[in-house]
Amino acid sequence: MELDPVFLSRLQFGFVVSFHAIFPVFTIGLASYIATLEALLYRTGNPVYERLAKFWTQVFAVVFGMGVVSGIVMSFQFGTNWSDFSYASANFLGPILSYEVITAFFLEAVFLGILLFGRNKVPRGTHLFAACMVAIGTFISSFWILSANSWMQTPAGTELRDGVFFVTSWMEAIFNPSFWPRFFHMALASFLTAGFVVAGVSAWYLLRDRAVVESRKALGMTVVLLAIVAPAQLVVGDIHGLNTFEHQPEKVAAMEGVWETQEGAPLLLFAIPSMEQERNFLEIGIPYGASLILTHSLDGEVQGLKDWAAEDRPNMPIVFWAFRIMVGIGMLMILMAFVGAWKRWRGTLWESNATLRVFSWMIPLPFIAVLSGWFVTEVGRQPWVVHGIMRLEDAVSPSLTGGMALFTLIGYITVYAVVFTAGVYYVTRLIRKGPEAIEVETPATGGHPKRPMSAAGSAFDDEMPQPSGR
């Protein structure tokens, strides 16, 4: 059997990105939450905020470290698997990625050490400033990464000459047509991810009568945030969808399961798309729904995927179902955000075991939603690496063989499985210890700035605390 280096390279990069993406999307939102806690601590001096800030900073240190480690290899993959793409796009992507290092990584590197090890060693205002700088650094990093990715989706400000992209307008290239919808969509996804994790962990503590004061404070803060952010994400997602409909209509055709160009296209709730037969099976839909959402008219025209040659179409089944998983989880988030805010306003949230239990069950869902959305974005762009200009087979390294790609893919899966297992195990132990194990007004000992994860301050074999009762 002949191994396809293009397919295996896509599989390898997709695996690495999927593994990596769940960490930054969590730490971006969590860094802002920690900065908020530090600001409240600075203003009120309430030790509850200090205990929460210390606890979530420990979690942040571990997850941030895993995100950095898992992301480094992607830069190597550009050289090993996608050297032709790297050469062709170097005039734009090279500076963009270096800007991320200079503006974001340097900022985070300077202030992360103060955040992790500076409490009680630097003035409180300086520590708060460091927390804010780390939070801002995470957004600056996402700004450059999303600019680079959006350029691959909707290229602008460049022209291809002799197989090399030359920048004709930096402003048009950086702020390409799909950049702002993607940036705000990802920013809100980060807030939702961190918010539902904090809410779920706090609910888990309350169900076990642990860290009651801290958990009530954390859950009360996050349900208010979620009640604002979750519906806002629906609005931004709609704007993002309209932008995609304008610039990548074949992706929207795959998202909506539309094969034939039609007016009054239905909004399909369920279908089984077949790429071979170019049709759907077992369709269940809302008449005129897709046309109404995409064109704001019941009779609006939606292009079908058959308008593109078979070799230029994205994989409809993957895009179709990934989109529905993302939207379904998003709707559940909005419902639970409103339920949580309503019960908090009524003063019944803390005693509602059913609501607390649902929040604790929802901890994995924002990560699944983020990955589903990422699949929609990236699989929907295929078979292009730079949409409409450069195909995948023109981007892969010429010397790469299928055997080499398979060997490194197995290596990545093995190493990442070990890293992921160890990281999740350690974060789980931190959460099981809980904020009640945190000492306040006591300088941290034993950490070292050269080892950021040592700020977590917990050994693998530490004893777990017992429930103290509500």
Side-chain angles (χ1 to χ4, degrees):
M1 180 180 67
E2 186 175 355
L3 300 173
D4 182 1
V6 176
F7 173 75
L8 290 171
S9 294
R10 290 175 60 191
L11 193 62
Q12 184 182 114
F13 200 78
F15 169 77
V16 172
V17 171
S18 299
F19 182 91
H20 168 70
I22 60 176
F23 299 117
V25 78
F26 179 39
T27 53
I28 291 170
L30 188 59
S32 295
Y33 178 62
I34 292 171
T36 303
L37 291 171
E38 293 288 351
L40 291 170
L41 171 63
Y42 182 82
R43 181 182 178 187
T44 66
N46 188 338
V48 173
Y49 292 125
E50 182 174 3
R51 191 172 283 113
L52 284 172
K54 281 186 172 181
F55 171 70
W56 285 108
T57 300
Q58 289 181 339
V59 176
F60 177 84
V62 178
V63 178
F64 186 87
M66 294 176 66
V68 171
V69 171
S70 61
I72 287 176
V73 297
M74 286 192 294
S75 58
F76 299 132
Q77 286 183 295
F78 282 126
T80 57
N81 296 60
W82 304 103
S83 62
D84 276 6
F85 168 67
S86 300
Y87 177 76
S89 63
N91 287 332
F92 175 66
L93 291 186
I96 291 296
L97 296 178
S98 66
Y99 296 157
E100 184 204 9
V101 173
I102 294 172
T103 58
F105 285 4
F106 283 12
L107 189 69
E108 292 169 342
V110 169
F111 290 102
L112 182 63
I114 299 175
L115 173 64
L116 298 183
F117 303 102
R119 192 184 299 279
N120 300 323
K121 296 176 182 175
V122 299
R124 291 172 57 195
T126 303
H127 194 258
L128 169 60
F129 183 74
C132 294
M133 289 300 100
V134 171
I136 292 172
T138 60
F139 278 104
I140 294 175
S141 179
S142 62
F143 172 91
W144 293 116
I145 292 300
L146 286 172
S147 176
N149 182 264
S150 297
W151 176 80
M152 295 166 65
Q153 305 283 343
T154 53
T158 58
E159 63 181 25
L160 190 64
R161 304 177 206 153
D162 300 325
V164 176
F165 288 98
F166 288 85
V167 179
T168 57
S169 170
W170 281 101
M171 292 297 289
E172 290 181 10
I174 294 172
F175 300 102
N176 55 78
S178 66
F179 169 71
W180 286 117
R182 291 179 195 281
F183 178 77
F184 285 110
H185 196 48
M186 180 57 72
L188 293 179
S190 300
F191 286 136
L192 286 172
T193 302
F196 271 99
V197 170
V198 172
V201 171
S202 302
W204 187 81
Y205 288 139
L206 289 173
L207 287 169
R208 286 156 182 77
D209 293 331
R210 289 182 50 191
V212 174
V213 177
E214 293 82 1
S215 299
R216 284 189 174 192
K217 183 73 73 178
L219 184 57
M221 291 172 64
T222 49
V223 293
V224 173
L225 171 73
L226 294 173
I228 299 171
V229 174
Q233 181 70 308
L234 181 65
V235 175
V236 173
D238 179 62
I239 295 172
H240 185 15
L242 294 177
N243 180 277
T244 306
F245 184 59
E246 178 182 356
H247 297 285
Q248 294 176 291
E250 72 274 31
K251 182 188 293 187
V252 174
M255 290 162 59
E256 300 297 344
V258 178
W259 287 101
E260 304 281 355
T261 298
Q262 56 185 301
E263 297 177 352
L267 177 64
L268 297 181
L269 303 177
F270 181 90
I272 301 177
S274 170
M275 294 292 287
E276 292 75 22
Q277 300 188 38
E278 299 181 338
R279 55 168 295 195
N280 299 327
F281 296 93
L282 303 175
E283 285 186 358
I284 300 175
I286 301 173
Y288 305 104
S291 288
L292 181 61
I293 293 174
L294 294 170
T295 67
H296 296 169
S297 169
L298 290 175
D299 297 325
E301 181 179 283
V302 178
Q303 256 186 300
L305 203 58
K306 286 185 179 179
D307 285 5
W308 286 266
E311 64 271 20
D312 292 338
R313 299 172 188 169
N315 186 300
M316 181 184 282
I318 295 177
V319 177
F320 180 85
W321 278 108
F323 180 65
R324 271 142 192 81
I325 292 172
M326 179 189 68
V327 173
I329 293 175
M331 293 295 126
L332 180 59
M333 287 179 173
I334 293 174
L335 174 64
M336 285 307 300
F338 284 150
V339 169
W342 170 256
K343 286 182 176 290
R344 184 185 185 278
W345 182 68
R346 296 289 303 271
T348 59
L349 178 60
W350 327 122
E351 285 74 34
S352 177
N353 285 353
T355 304
L356 297 177
R357 198 168 289 114
V358 173
F359 269 117
S360 67
W361 291 341
M362 288 184 68
I363 292 175
L365 293 188
F367 298 101
I368 297 173
V370 167
L371 290 180
S372 299
W374 198 251
F375 289 160
V376 172
T377 297
E378 297 305 311
V379 177
R381 191 192 62 214
Q382 311 298 327
W384 306 98
V385 63
V386 179
H387 184 249
I389 300 177
M390 188 175 196
R391 302 180 70 92
L392 288 164
E393 53 268 29
D394 299 324
V396 75
S397 300
S399 61
L400 186 69
T401 66
M404 294 161 64
L406 179 62
F407 179 78
T408 52
L409 173 61
I410 294 172
Y412 281 128
I413 292 174
T414 304
V415 173
Y416 276 39
V418 174
V419 172
F420 186 77
T421 302
V424 169
Y425 174 76
Y426 194 59
V427 170
T428 302
R429 288 195 64 84
L430 284 174
I431 291 175
R432 285 173 62 84
K433 287 180 67 175
E436 67 266 43
I438 302 291
E439 297 290 339
V440 297
E441 299 297 336
T442 301
T445 58
H448 197 289
K450 290 184 178 179
R451 293 180 291 111
M453 290 178 68
S454 64
S458 177
F460 269 62
D461 56 352
D462 281 351
E463 293 292 333
M464 294 292 106
Q466 299 301 314
S468 57
R470 274 185 188 178

